[in-house]
Amino acid sequence: MRKTIHIPSALTFKFAWIFFLLALISNVQAQQVNLDSIASRFENFNANNLQEKIFVHTDREMYLAGEIIWFKLYYTSGATNELLDLSKIAYVEVIDKNQKPILQAKISIEKGTGNGSMYLPVSLTSGNYQFRAYTNWMKNFSPDYFFNKNISIINSLLKPENLQSNKAAVKYDVQFFPEGGQIIENLPGKVAYRAIDDQGKGVDFNGTLVDQNNAVLLRFKPLKFGIGSFSFIPEAGKTYRALIELPGESMSREIPIAKTGYVIQLFDNQNDKLRLSVQTNGVSTNNKVHLFAHTRQVKIMKVSADLNMGKAEFLIDKNMLGEGISQLTLFNDLGQAVAERLFFKKPTSKLLISTSTNQQKYAPRKKVTINLDTKDEKGQSLAVDASVSVYATDSLESDNGDIFNYLWLKSDLKGNVESPAYYFNTNDAISKEALDNLMLTHGWRRFVWQDLLKNTIPSVEFLPEIDGHLINGRTVDTRTNASAIGIMSYLAVPGKKLHIYGSKSNNSGQVRFYTRDIFGPSELVVQTKYQQDSTYRIDISNPFFEKYSSSRPYNLNLSEKFKSSILNQSVSSQVQTIFAGDKLKTFYPALTDSTAFYIKSDKTYLLDNFVRFNTMEEVLREYVTEVPLMRQKDEFTILVRVRPHPNDFPRNVEPLILLDGVPVFDRGNKIIKYDPKKVRELEVVAKRYFLGPLMFNSILNLKTYKGNLPDFQLDPRATVMDYEGMQLKREFYSPIYDTEAKVSERLPDFRNVLYWSPDLKIDSKGKKTISFYTSDQENKYTVVVQGISPEGKLGSSKIEIQVKK
């Protein structure tokens, strides 16, 4: 007989409470942060998220419409600043104030560098434009970390849209940035601020912090470039405003206060130590907090500390931190990132470029000799990859930074950094405080901790182009306009060089063609095999990124004082276009492999060596013994006779038929009807061939004299489009006046850019001499050298020379 045991209700409650506590403890332990786990996930994240950077040296920063922008790309690792040899293509754009690209180019990168040029149309309006550059892999991250710089373009033939007087109204923007991310009530904290005008320049102002009763708490004003900071303790239940007095304008800004949370304060008051103070007014005032620090995504330290009455402190050895920007992130016991702080350690590693000339002043059409000497900070000679520009000095030129301060500072900060060289060239107390204020006001975020801690490999939409340009597209079912899956498509570039690529659409209908060596203006033919896939089309994607950074180019405000210099430059530019325009249109040929993808054919027929027939049917039947024809009524089928093995009997197979590199998928009927007098050569590959995802039983390749499918009608279902391949390199025009006869030539020389060399290689001895000739213009000229060593040391140099009769 079974007995029923009755448990008293109080005991039942007790057991239930015990089980609840055990579950709660287990859950809390599962959620508590493990610094080793954070470090492991951080390294796993970095292993799958290489950070690339690009710096672009443009020949100058102010141009006239109708001139040419010359530029060099330095493609580097975000962790080491060393040149990378991974991505082989960079995308370069000039973007207007409405974030619409007006010029675009694909630039070939070889061993970390590339160079190109852009002709500025004479129809451009005057204004500031953004010059940006990025790789395909960089499109997986925020466009705020693409290379961006402002360039000014002036159209001297059109009236400027913004011809400003000195009394024109100026718009201002003032923002506040709490240290660590939040202002917490009843806890002391620092608040940084930044005020800029509509040109992105910092402005001076007077500020007052008041509470809801308009009681004055403190007064403040910027330290440098419109940036400063103040500290205060916000009281519970109170609200605060900042009253701002700007030139010609007053404004008020609310200061948002959070009730609970964490406050961090970083103190750099010792020579070798940083002190990070942590305070919280939350419920978990006696738990642990955890600090994780990294420099350019290289792990530096991980350490924990106990909160005692809501307070904790970390001492950080500055010698442990890497050079450049370090990110200090505070985690609570639940593994949540609750506060962040940036610290900048000035780099001591530097490339020193000494630039000297054989004299200070030069007459027109005289030879200039410049000696370059490259060393590291210890005086040891260095090999350097460099670029040099010599251009007419203009008052409109701005300080957009050089390769050193860009890769060490600007590339890791969002928004515009005004006068970045200031933070490196001065080392007093004011500059140190200004640098710390800069860290407080410019957000730095290459990833979000919540995503990183999930420990999942993020989905990658854009692959690195490690071997050549990737052309992406989508296969579409024309009956439903839906994506089509598992359909093989073919991409070809008509021409004398054989370009053919294949791709099968994935589960999203996407296709990806791994192309190589497509240079200059081209035409793409993309199609499916219409004998079996007759209802599909392929839409090719735009290779340029259609998302833009949060910052836009500022308005170009021209005043009358620039009129004379712009007029002189305009006259010079027009004279050069008239008398040397053809020399500015010379391009170097692309160095590509002209061999067909199948390397060598089994038989080649030069049709001019035979009697010319009037039909292709006669040509194939009379000469090409490897190609039997089958005919049923008016339908032909072209075959190729192959022997799979030497001892096998020959058999007839259907070939891939190419005309000027473009597949023809109708069994040969269009080829049979094609005029043989337009065909120069016919090649036969009488064996099976594999090309990526493609397999051909044999190949029949017909080449015309023109190489552009003359008078051949492609299938109307094929996608045919103009496509700009990688940019051909333009030759820089620089005349040589090495004889009296050339000096005496009456052809005018009004060059504004005397010299441009993007591929200057300096060997390990650190010595290089360059030379060029001055033009007819009397002016001051700026010589700018940018360079990088194999070890990732960065440097630049700038001097002036004068040309005077």
Side-chain angles (χ1 to χ4, degrees):
M1 181 177 179
R2 291 184 179 178
K3 289 185 178 180
T4 301
I5 301 176
H6 296 280
I7 300 177
S9 60
L11 190 58
T12 304
F13 177 78
K14 187 175 182 179
F15 275 114
W17 180 246
I18 291 172
F19 287 137
F20 172 75
L21 287 177
L22 290 173
L24 180 63
I25 292 171
S26 176
N27 186 51
V28 169
Q29 287 178 341
Q31 291 185 13
Q32 284 184 340
V33 70
N34 183 314
L35 272 176
D36 291 331
S37 175
I38 288 178
S40 174
R41 296 177 186 186
F42 176 81
E43 291 171 356
N44 182 58
F45 182 87
N46 288 338
N48 295 284
N49 288 275
L50 171 70
Q51 297 299 327
E52 302 175 323
K53 292 183 180 181
I54 289 180
F55 172 76
V56 181
H57 176 197
T58 56
D59 63 310
R60 47 196 161 137
E61 295 176 358
M62 195 281 282
Y63 301 86
L64 295 180
E67 292 187 324
I68 295 173
I69 300 176
W70 302 89
F71 57 87
K72 174 170 181 177
L73 305 170
Y74 294 86
Y75 162 64
T76 68
S77 163
T80 65
N81 287 335
E82 295 177 6
L83 292 175
L84 276 178
D85 190 16
L86 183 69
S87 293
K88 297 300 188 295
I89 309 293
Y91 299 87
V92 173
E93 300 179 274
V94 175
I95 302 167
D96 67 14
K97 62 181 180 181
N98 299 316
Q99 293 194 323
K100 292 184 178 180
I102 60 166
L103 293 171
Q104 296 177 318
K106 307 177 192 77
I107 306 300
S108 174
I109 301 176
E110 184 177 353
K111 296 182 179 179
T113 65
N115 64 84
S117 61
M118 284 181 167
Y119 170 77
L120 297 172
V122 293
S123 59
L124 290 179
T125 57
S126 298
N128 280 332
Y129 293 76
Q130 276 187 330
F131 187 106
R132 78 168 182 171
Y134 52 92
T135 66
N136 202 53
W137 175 254
M138 291 169 71
K139 293 192 288 186
N140 292 301
F141 308 96
S142 169
D144 285 313
Y145 299 109
F146 295 174
F147 175 84
N148 275 286
K149 72 180 289 186
N150 284 339
I151 60 171
S152 300
I153 301 175
I154 299 173
N155 193 324
S156 59
L157 304 179
L158 298 176
K159 184 178 180 180
E161 295 179 359
N162 295 300
L163 188 59
Q164 299 285 348
S165 66
N166 294 329
K167 297 181 180 180
V170 179
K171 296 180 180 179
Y172 300 102
D173 180 40
V174 181
Q175 297 182 43
F176 292 86
F177 306 87
E179 182 174 16
Q182 286 184 313
I183 305 173
I184 306 300
E185 63 181 21
N186 298 324
L187 292 178
K190 180 184 284 189
V191 179
Y193 50 85
R194 181 178 182 231
I196 57 174
D197 60 19
D198 49 13
Q199 300 302 301
K201 299 290 186 181
V203 293
D204 200 13
F205 67 88
N206 292 310
T208 305
L209 183 67
V210 300
D211 63 14
Q212 73 271 26
N213 299 319
N214 288 325
V216 176
L217 276 72
L218 55 88
R219 303 184 188 278
F220 57 95
K221 64 183 307 179
L223 176 71
K224 198 75 177 177
F225 308 122
I227 303 175
S229 62
F230 59 80
S231 298
F232 81 114
I233 303 175
E235 297 181 26
K238 286 191 175 184
T239 59
Y240 300 89
R241 292 180 302 140
L243 306 178
I244 310 296
E245 293 293 331
L246 290 154
E249 184 178 348
S250 299
M251 63 176 66
S252 174
R253 291 287 186 269
E254 298 293 329
I255 305 294
I257 308 295
K259 292 184 178 180
T260 60
Y262 291 80
V263 167
I264 60 175
Q265 290 182 287
L266 187 66
F267 300 96
D268 184 13
N269 49 13
Q270 300 182 45
N271 291 332
D272 58 349
K273 300 287 185 183
L274 294 174
R275 181 167 63 90
L276 186 73
S277 169
V278 180
Q279 294 190 62
T280 180
N281 60 3
V283 293
S284 302
T285 56
N286 293 311
N287 288 347
K288 283 183 177 292
V289 287
H290 314 273
L291 181 66
F292 186 86
H294 70 91
T295 305
R296 300 192 310 279
Q297 294 192 243
V298 176
K299 182 188 71 176
I300 301 299
M301 64 174 292
K302 53 184 177 68
V303 63
S304 300
D306 292 315
L307 283 169
N308 184 10
M309 301 297 292
K311 296 182 179 180
E313 191 172 274
F314 296 94
L315 288 179
I316 305 167
D317 187 348
K318 285 195 286 189
N319 294 322
M320 293 178 59
L321 298 177
E323 295 181 333
I325 293 178
S326 292
Q327 183 174 354
L328 313 176
T329 306
L330 185 74
F331 293 87
N332 63 14
D333 252 359
L334 299 178
Q336 299 167 327
V338 294
E340 278 186 337
R341 182 65 155 87
L342 303 187
F343 177 76
F344 187 83
K345 182 178 178 180
K346 287 188 179 182
T348 57
S349 172
K350 189 170 185 178
L351 165 64
L352 302 174
I353 303 176
S354 173
T355 307
S356 60
T357 57
N358 56 333
Q359 58 191 76
Q360 290 297 314
K361 293 183 180 180
Y362 298 87
R365 301 196 180 193
K366 293 299 181 181
K367 186 176 183 179
V368 179
T369 300
I370 296 180
N371 298 308
L372 302 177
D373 188 3
T374 55
K375 291 181 171 61
D376 64 11
E377 68 279 0
K378 297 178 181 178
Q380 299 296 316
S381 298
L382 286 177
V384 172
D385 193 323
S387 48
V388 182
S389 176
V390 183
Y391 59 90
T393 305
D394 190 273
S395 56
L396 284 177
E397 294 291 332
S398 60
D399 179 16
N400 264 330
D402 56 34
I403 189 171
F404 182 84
N405 56 51
Y406 177 82
L407 289 178
W408 279 116
L409 185 65
K410 285 188 69 175
S411 61
D412 285 333
L413 297 174
K414 290 184 179 180
N416 179 54
V417 177
E418 184 178 350
S419 299
Y422 165 80
Y423 300 101
F424 296 95
N425 297 337
T426 54
N427 199 33
D428 54 18
I430 292 178
S431 67
K432 290 179 180 178
E433 185 180 352
L435 180 59
D436 197 53
N437 288 335
L438 183 71
M439 296 297 104
L440 290 166
T441 54
H442 285 65
W444 191 94
R445 222 16 122 137
R446 283 197 178 270
F447 53 83
V448 178
W449 276 108
Q450 287 82 348
D451 296 338
L452 183 147
L453 294 176
K454 292 176 183 177
N455 204 27
T456 56
I457 298 177
S459 59
V460 173
E461 183 179 357
F462 303 100
L463 298 179
E465 295 176 303
I466 60 177
D467 197 37
H469 178 42
L470 299 181
I471 297 179
N472 297 284
R474 175 172 169 257
T475 306
V476 179
D477 190 329
T478 56
R479 297 166 297 183
T480 62
N481 210 35
S483 297
I485 301 172
I487 304 301
M488 183 64 74
S489 54
Y490 303 78
L491 181 147
V493 181
K496 295 182 179 180
K497 184 185 183 311
L498 209 56
H499 294 278
I500 180 170
Y501 310 93
S503 177
K504 180 178 286 189
S505 56
N506 63 16
N507 291 334
S508 301
Q510 300 296 316
V511 290
R512 182 175 288 126
F513 301 98
Y514 293 79
T515 72
R516 295 187 65 185
D517 295 341
I518 301 178
F519 284 88
S522 302
E523 187 177 62
L524 299 186
V525 178
V526 192
Q527 55 189 323
T528 59
K529 197 170 184 178
Y530 295 116
Q531 291 168 296
Q532 59 192 38
D533 301 317
S534 60
T535 59
Y536 303 101
R537 75 168 190 271
I538 298 96
D539 295 335
I540 297 299
S541 304
N542 180 8
F544 292 91
F545 204 43
E546 296 176 340
K547 296 180 182 179
Y548 301 92
S549 68
S550 54
S551 61
R552 297 192 179 196
Y554 302 107
N555 292 331
L556 175 65
N557 293 332
L558 297 174
S559 65
E560 290 290 341
K561 66 180 181 179
F562 299 121
K563 185 175 181 179
S564 176
S565 62
I566 292 174
L567 178 61
N568 290 337
Q569 187 170 338
S570 176
V571 170
S572 301
S573 178
Q574 292 179 60
V575 169
Q576 278 302 104
T577 300
I578 293 171
F579 291 97
D582 292 341
K583 297 181 176 62
L584 301 177
K585 299 176 183 178
T586 304
F587 293 86
Y588 296 104
L591 300 177
T592 60
D593 185 2
S594 60
T595 307
F597 65 84
Y598 46 78
I599 309 300
K600 184 179 180 181
S601 63
D602 294 303
K603 194 67 177 287
T604 300
Y605 295 88
L606 295 173
L607 299 191
D608 283 342
N609 294 339
F610 301 89
V611 175
R612 280 292 192 173
F613 289 104
N614 293 321
T615 67
M616 189 60 71
E617 179 183 0
E618 293 175 292
V619 171
L620 294 176
R621 291 192 187 278
E622 295 296 329
Y623 302 147
V624 189
T625 58
E626 297 86 359
V627 180
L629 287 179
M630 294 181 62
R631 178 174 182 176
Q632 187 174 5
K633 295 184 179 180
D634 292 331
E635 296 293 320
F636 286 87
T637 299
I638 295 178
L639 301 172
V640 170
R641 185 174 291 113
V642 301
R643 275 182 199 270
H645 301 286
N647 297 326
D648 290 349
F649 288 104
R651 60 189 181 92
N652 297 331
V653 298
E654 187 175 337
L656 169 72
I657 303 175
L658 300 173
L659 179 63
D660 286 337
V662 177
V664 180
F665 293 120
D666 70 339
R667 298 179 183 268
N669 280 282
K670 285 189 175 181
I671 294 298
I672 291 296
K673 298 174 183 177
Y674 193 62
D675 185 356
K677 294 183 177 62
K678 293 182 170 61
V679 179
R680 178 180 62 86
E681 184 178 341
L682 189 153
E683 292 185 337
V684 181
V685 179
K687 56 180 173 289
R688 182 174 292 182
Y689 192 88
F690 292 88
L691 180 63
L694 304 176
M695 189 278 289
F696 315 120
N697 288 316
S698 59
I699 301 171
L700 181 62
N701 183 24
L702 292 84
K703 303 177 183 179
T704 68
Y705 288 96
K706 293 184 178 180
N708 60 355
L709 305 165
D711 301 321
F712 185 81
Q713 295 298 317
L714 289 167
D715 192 291
R717 291 165 291 190
T719 298
V720 182
M721 60 183 295
D722 292 329
Y723 198 82
E724 193 71 30
M726 291 179 290
Q727 188 183 78
L728 293 170
K729 293 183 180 180
R730 191 192 307 259
E731 184 178 348
F732 181 79
Y733 171 62
S734 182
I736 298 174
Y737 300 110
D738 55 353
T739 65
E740 285 299 324
K742 291 181 178 180
V743 172
S744 302
E745 283 182 349
R746 301 188 63 182
L747 193 68
D749 179 1
F750 277 24
R751 287 172 294 139
N752 289 315
V753 180
L754 299 182
Y755 185 75
W756 166 252
S757 176
D759 287 321
L760 196 64
K761 308 296 183 183
I762 303 174
D763 62 23
S764 58
K765 295 179 180 179
K767 303 288 185 181
K768 189 74 174 182
T769 299
I770 61 174
S771 61
F772 55 89
Y773 289 82
T774 61
S775 67
D776 295 337
Q777 292 198 102
E778 295 183 274
N779 209 334
K780 287 185 178 180
Y781 291 86
T782 302
V783 181
V784 175
V785 185
Q786 308 275 6
I788 185 171
S789 76
E791 302 82 12
K793 294 182 185 291
L794 314 166
S796 66
S797 174
K798 181 185 288 189
I799 63 171
E800 279 193 350
I801 62 173
Q802 187 169 15
V803 177
K804 193 174 182 65
K805 292 181 180 178

